[in-house]
Amino acid sequence: MTFSNGPGVSYVRAGEGPASWLVGDTYTVKATSESTGGAFGLIEASIPPGSGPPPHVHTREDESFYLLDGVLEIAVGEEITVARAGDFIYLPRGIPHWFKNPSVNPARTLVLITPGGFEQFFVDAGTPARPGVPAPPISPDEFERVAELTGRYGHHIQAPTGASTR
């Protein structure tokens, strides 16, 4: 939706925005580089128990998390901390990190990507999500496809045990 009283203003309602399943999580794009003049991308992530992306590094953008619900273990290098609803984490580019939901309840977080652009990775690498259906767990085929696309976005991931990054 756009407002008639101002160019560049955008409004995305709750439950709207392109949603993708990726590495067992659901990522819904709320703001894009295009809609923010390149300033940022914003994603709402739903992370089921035991899920989260493998260790990775962003080389072109900084990443920030604001935890809305639940708990996430967040690793930065070798250090792991537990984030809870209301916590904010800022990760500058170039820092190896990962996160995982260690609880029995889903976690939800807003992911702010600056500058914008990397939010398109979730659309390109993911599978379109179906409303009301949980994301399937990551498969070796999905990991290979994701690993192939990461380089295009200046992103590097580490393979889980037994997976190939080509």
Side-chain angles (χ1 to χ4, degrees):
M1 174 180 180
T2 57
F3 289 93
S4 61
N5 63 344
V9 175
S10 67
Y11 176 66
V12 180
R13 294 184 184 278
E16 292 184 354
S20 300
W21 291 330
L22 186 64
V23 300
D25 306 332
T26 302
Y27 295 93
T28 304
V29 177
K30 296 297 189 175
T32 65
S33 179
E34 183 179 330
S35 70
T36 65
F40 65 91
L42 184 67
I43 295 171
E44 180 180 347
S46 178
I47 304 104
S51 192
H56 59 279
V57 177
H58 300 271
T59 63
R60 299 179 187 161
E61 59 281 318
D62 304 323
E63 191 173 36
S64 300
F65 299 87
Y66 181 77
L67 199 57
L68 299 169
D69 294 308
V71 176
L72 288 178
E73 284 181 343
I74 299 179
V76 178
E78 298 297 319
E79 187 176 343
I80 298 174
T81 191
V82 175
R84 302 183 191 294
D87 290 352
F88 175 81
I89 301 95
Y90 168 74
L91 300 169
R93 66 194 78 185
I95 304 248
H97 63 281
W98 56 263
F99 58 87
K100 179 180 178 180
N101 179 350
S103 76
V104 297
N105 298 310
R108 283 186 23 214
T109 187
L110 291 177
V111 182
L112 179 67
I113 300 161
T114 53
F118 187 73
E119 69 283 350
Q120 186 61 41
F121 169 79
F122 295 89
V123 175
D124 292 346
T127 301
R130 293 191 307 263
V133 178
I138 187 170
S139 69
D141 288 342
E142 178 186 13
F143 184 84
E144 299 241 356
R145 182 171 39 82
V146 169
E148 182 180 322
L149 284 171
T150 58
R152 294 184 202 167
Y153 287 90
H155 186 246
H156 306 285
I157 60 173
Q158 292 179 316
T161 304
S164 164
T165 58
R166 293 189 189 200

